[in-house]
């Protein structure tokens, strides 16, 4: 009995689908850059990408889904957790500084547009895709803090601390500095942010 070997590539995603999705996102990103969210329409994206409307809807159920996917391209990635050497303070300063560098390197106009578009937690104005992207981004950016706070030495200092709250306290000031046009967050800025965070946490009463 002869066994037919199925090529591994058969199980991979069709490269034509990858190319068409990439073309759609490239077109949507170009429209976002030149005209903002309202410029990203099905007609404009299919015209620029030369991808059929039916193909667009196979990749993205709605134009909001397409806009959300294109917006995500412009946001800085989450920073990686520093190695275990040093105190919790040292590693927090390094983590916040790494994220600050990524934020500072991101295109300001598009980052601002993305944060604004995903700032509605209920999806009343941005729709379910905007709310979904917002939750995705929160999970993505809090992951390094989850990893760091799960370590025994961090738990000994911080206790059972919510990483989303930490993200707001530690990265919020960095984002504000960037969006307000106040310059870039230096390592000294990150050091002050972390010290303020640790001081405030130490002053908080223990959870009952």
């Amino acid at each position: 009995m002869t066994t037919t070997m199925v090529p591994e590539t058969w199980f991979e995603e069709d490269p034509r689908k990858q190319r068409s999705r990439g073309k759609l996102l490239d077109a949507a990103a170009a429209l976002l850059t030149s005209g903002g969210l309202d410029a990203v329409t099905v007609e404009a994206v299919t015209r620029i990408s030369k991808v059929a409307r039916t193909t667009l809807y196979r990749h993205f159920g709605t134009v909001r889904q397409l806009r959300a996917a294109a917006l995500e391209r412009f946001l800085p990635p989450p920073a990686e957790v520093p190695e275990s050497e040093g105190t919790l303070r040292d590693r927090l300063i390094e983590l916040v500084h790494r994220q600050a560098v990524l934020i500072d390197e991101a295109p300001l106009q598009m980052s601002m547009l993305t944060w604004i578009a995903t700032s509605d937690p209920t999806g009343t104005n941005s729709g379910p895709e905007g709310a979904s992207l917002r939750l995705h981004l929160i999970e993505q950016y809090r992951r390094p803090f989850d990893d760091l706070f799960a370590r025994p030495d961090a738990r000994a200092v911080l206790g059972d601390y919510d990483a989303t709250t930490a993200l707001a306290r530690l990265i919020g000031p960095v984002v504000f500095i960037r969006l307000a046009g106040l310059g870039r967050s230096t390592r000294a800025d990150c050091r002050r942010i972390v010290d303020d965070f640790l001081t405030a946490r130490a002053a908080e009463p223990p959870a009952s």
Side-chain angles (χ1 to χ4, degrees):
M1 178 177 179
T2 303
T3 301
T4 303
M5 299 298 293
V6 180
E8 291 183 6
T9 52
W10 287 19
F11 295 102
E12 298 176 359
E13 184 177 356
D14 188 337
R16 292 172 298 179
K17 293 181 179 179
Q18 295 177 354
R19 285 195 296 271
S20 62
R21 180 182 176 85
K23 288 180 180 178
L24 290 166
L25 286 173
D26 287 344
L31 288 164
L32 274 172
T33 303
S34 61
L37 279 173
D38 291 340
V40 183
T41 63
V42 172
E43 292 74 17
V45 171
T46 52
R47 183 182 70 252
I48 293 173
S49 66
K50 296 181 171 54
V51 174
R53 178 188 292 256
T54 53
T55 302
L56 183 151
Y57 282 119
R58 279 200 294 270
H59 288 287
F60 308 99
T62 67
V63 70
R64 280 178 171 167
Q65 288 182 5
L66 174 60
R67 288 171 176 172
L71 281 168
E72 192 171 0
R73 279 189 164 193
F74 293 97
L75 282 177
E80 294 184 4
V81 180
E83 297 301 325
S84 299
E85 293 81 2
T87 65
L88 173 63
R89 175 179 179 271
D90 293 335
R91 281 176 283 142
L92 271 175
I93 291 170
E94 178 62 24
L95 177 55
V96 173
H97 184 251
R98 289 182 184 184
Q99 190 64 63
V101 170
L102 292 170
I103 289 171
D104 287 338
E105 290 176 349
L108 177 59
Q109 179 183 1
M110 296 311 302
S111 295
M112 183 180 295
L113 179 62
T114 306
W115 275 309
I116 290 172
T118 59
S119 62
D120 175 19
T122 65
T124 303
N125 300 313
S126 59
E129 291 81 13
S132 177
L133 177 58
R134 176 181 178 274
L135 292 174
H136 168 70
L137 293 174
I138 289 173
E139 289 301 314
Q140 176 174 294
Y141 284 112
R142 64 169 279 169
R143 191 174 302 121
F145 293 91
D146 279 330
D147 293 343
L148 181 55
F149 292 172
R151 297 177 181 181
D153 61 330
R155 293 185 65 85
V157 174
L158 300 174
D160 189 15
Y161 196 77
D162 178 60
T164 302
T165 302
L167 185 67
R169 292 184 174 182
L170 292 167
I171 302 302
V174 174
V175 173
F176 175 78
I177 289 171
R178 180 70 168 132
L179 295 186
L182 301 177
R184 294 171 179 262
S185 298
T186 65
R187 183 174 287 274
D189 293 326
C190 297
R191 189 180 302 114
R192 284 191 293 271
I193 290 169
V194 169
D195 285 341
D196 288 345
F197 166 76
L198 292 174
T199 300
R201 177 57 181 163
E204 292 174 356
S208 56

